[in-house]
Amino acid sequence: MAIAMGWHKPDNVAGSSAPAIMVGLFVATGGLLFGYDTGTINGILAMDSFVEHFNSGYKDMAGNLTMSPREVSLIVAMLSAGTVVGALVSAPMGDIWGRRRSLIVAVGVFCIGAIFQVCATNVATLVVGRTLAGVGVGTISVLVPLYQSEMAPKWVRGTLVCAYQLSITMGLLIAAIVNILTSHIDGSAAYRIPMGLQLSWACVLALGLLVLPETPRYLIKRGHKEAAALSLSRLRRLDITHPALVEELAEIEANHEYELALGPDTYKDIIFGHPHLGRRTLTGCGLQMLQQLTGINFIMYYGTTFFIGAGVEDAFKISLIMQIINTVCTLPGLLVVESWGRRRLLIVGAIGMAICQLLIASYATANGDEDTSVQNRILIIFVAVYIFFFAASWGPVVWVVTSEIYPLKVRAKSMSISTASNWLLNFGIAFGTPYMVDQNSISSSGSSIDLGSRVFFVWGAFCIVAIAFVWCMVYETSKISLEQIDEMYERVDHAWNSRRFEPSWSFQQMRDFGFSESGVPPTEPQLELQQSRSSSSAGTSSDTGASATTGTTTSSQDDKMLAQLGHVDLSY
């Protein structure tokens, strides 16, 4: 299966990765819920029937009834406000109930919000529905990448997490198609049908989650070693007693114990904890905020209405073309995220986006109101190229990095904080954009500024900031296990040196002896752990000779087992 999809499992990896890949791809479809909801509101706001039923008497400069910037901001942005709450509550939910059960609850909350939206007859009810749906989406946006990263083999982990972003783009594309098909229907069916269809996949996803396994790393975190072994056995298609599976599980358990020896797993420790948890949290939050500040949701939320305001003919079809580009161009990111690495892909993407956006804004500023047809062509062409760079890089890879860089003990908490920062910026952009580019209310109320295409100066400037941020802060995490990322943050001082990192620690040795055979001197917490292990061993051993004999026998048996395995890679 992996080869058919363009992936190739290393020859020295034991077992089969097909179950983990299939589970990861299915869970990734949680992104459809957010993508579809975002895409539907983009088109619904431009539907005549929606404006007719929900407007409050506001008129544009031509005297036509339309939605006011305040109403548009509330309808669009309250989804993002809900996602902030959902992202924050996902950590305690995921740590207490488990990743899988919490996902089922989140999908249920999303369904309740979708029902409110379908039944809405006024703006207030619609806003309540979108807020509830946002809580579900926010929780899903944390737990899906978290679930994927904790169950996936290291050689395909990045690609599977990228599939979450692919599902978001597919949801946007499906929504654009549905909007075109229903936009000419008379009456409320034009917007109620798109809103109601989002319930269909939510129900399929919830039913599928009922039969999927919990992640082995979460089960180790909760102390359920036997359940973790069964889960890992299902995902790797190996017998529970297979040496490779036993070794992988032991390394996960040893790594978790080592992490706990360095400090507790409180919210305070995601900033002040070791190893370098503050730096990792800053990296995750910075990436998530910069993903929003590249301006992508300006296009996704308001693309149709912005193109109409810019005088582009057939804005619905243009938006559909943009969604097709967004979906198709996510695939190159999936194919090269492991070979190129996270850092290179993010830097190349940010450079491409910055060039496109600065060209759009510069031409619009220099040209003014003259020759708008040429200006619109340039706008459409470079927005399309910009979406290509985003879809292949910052769209999927940000979710990959933030799902990988945190240690198990605080992974859910750190991911919830970093994802909440994404949604907080998402809310700000969704709420503020109508006031930045709206042309209708500037004369009547003076509450908006007419930046028009010059708003791309703002997004382009943040893309330049993103280039510097990735260079200085983002470590290369491809082709190493989640446990080996801890070692990298301890041994590599600067992010730009991380591509040369070669893992060499065994966390079982770190746990048992306080240091590994890599030649790196143990740190103070490691020495304390070593002393603790030594005193515990001294307290329980009454016969030194017998202890030595037992240790020698065990070591001999382990050596024989490892010799039989040959060159099998025991690290996923």
Side-chain angles (χ1 to χ4, degrees), residues 64-88:
N64 300 317
L65 286 173
T66 186
M67 305 296 291
S68 70
R70 178 181 172 275
E71 291 169 331
V72 172
S73 296
L74 276 176
I75 292 170
V76 174
M78 288 312 293
L79 176 82
S80 301
T83 57
V84 175
V85 176
L88 291 175

Side-chain angles (χ1 to χ4, degrees), residues 179-228:
N179 282 340
I180 288 178
L181 295 176
T182 63
S183 60
H184 301 296
I185 297 176
D186 294 329
S188 62
Y191 58 85
R192 293 193 197 279
I193 291 174
M195 288 179 177
L197 285 176
Q198 58 192 329
L199 286 165
S200 56
W201 186 253
C203 294
V204 174
L205 181 61
L207 291 173
L209 286 167
L210 291 174
V211 299
L212 295 185
E214 183 56 83
T215 71
R217 286 177 170 88
Y218 168 75
L219 294 169
I220 286 292
K221 178 181 173 69
R222 302 296 293 179
H224 306 311
K225 186 174 180 180
E226 291 183 0

Side-chain angles (χ1 to χ4, degrees), residues 139-258:
T139 306
I140 290 168
S141 68
V142 175
L143 294 177
V144 166
L146 177 60
Y147 184 97
Q148 291 175 304
S149 66
E150 287 191 347
M151 48 70 65
K154 67 180 181 182
W155 63 272
V156 77
R157 185 180 64 238
T159 306
L160 285 181
V161 179
C162 282
Y164 173 67
Q165 176 67 20
L166 178 62
S167 293
I168 294 176
T169 63
M170 290 174 63
L172 289 163
L173 175 59
I174 294 169
I177 295 171
V178 172
N179 282 340
I180 288 178
L181 295 176
T182 63
S183 60
H184 301 296
I185 297 176
D186 294 329
S188 62
Y191 58 85
R192 293 193 197 279
I193 291 174
M195 288 179 177
L197 285 176
Q198 58 192 329
L199 286 165
S200 56
W201 186 253
C203 294
V204 174
L205 181 61
L207 291 173
L209 286 167
L210 291 174
V211 299
L212 295 185
E214 183 56 83
T215 71
R217 286 177 170 88
Y218 168 75
L219 294 169
I220 286 292
K221 178 181 173 69
R222 302 296 293 179
H224 306 311
K225 186 174 180 180
E226 291 183 0
L230 288 171
S231 173
L232 196 61
S233 176
R234 289 179 63 185
L235 294 170
R236 301 291 185 260
R237 201 174 286 174
L238 288 172
D239 187 86
I240 197 170
T241 59
H242 192 282
L245 188 142
V246 172
E247 179 72 13
E248 181 181 0
L249 197 66
E251 188 70 2
I252 293 172
E253 184 180 18
N255 173 256
H256 182 54
E257 292 182 11
Y258 171 73

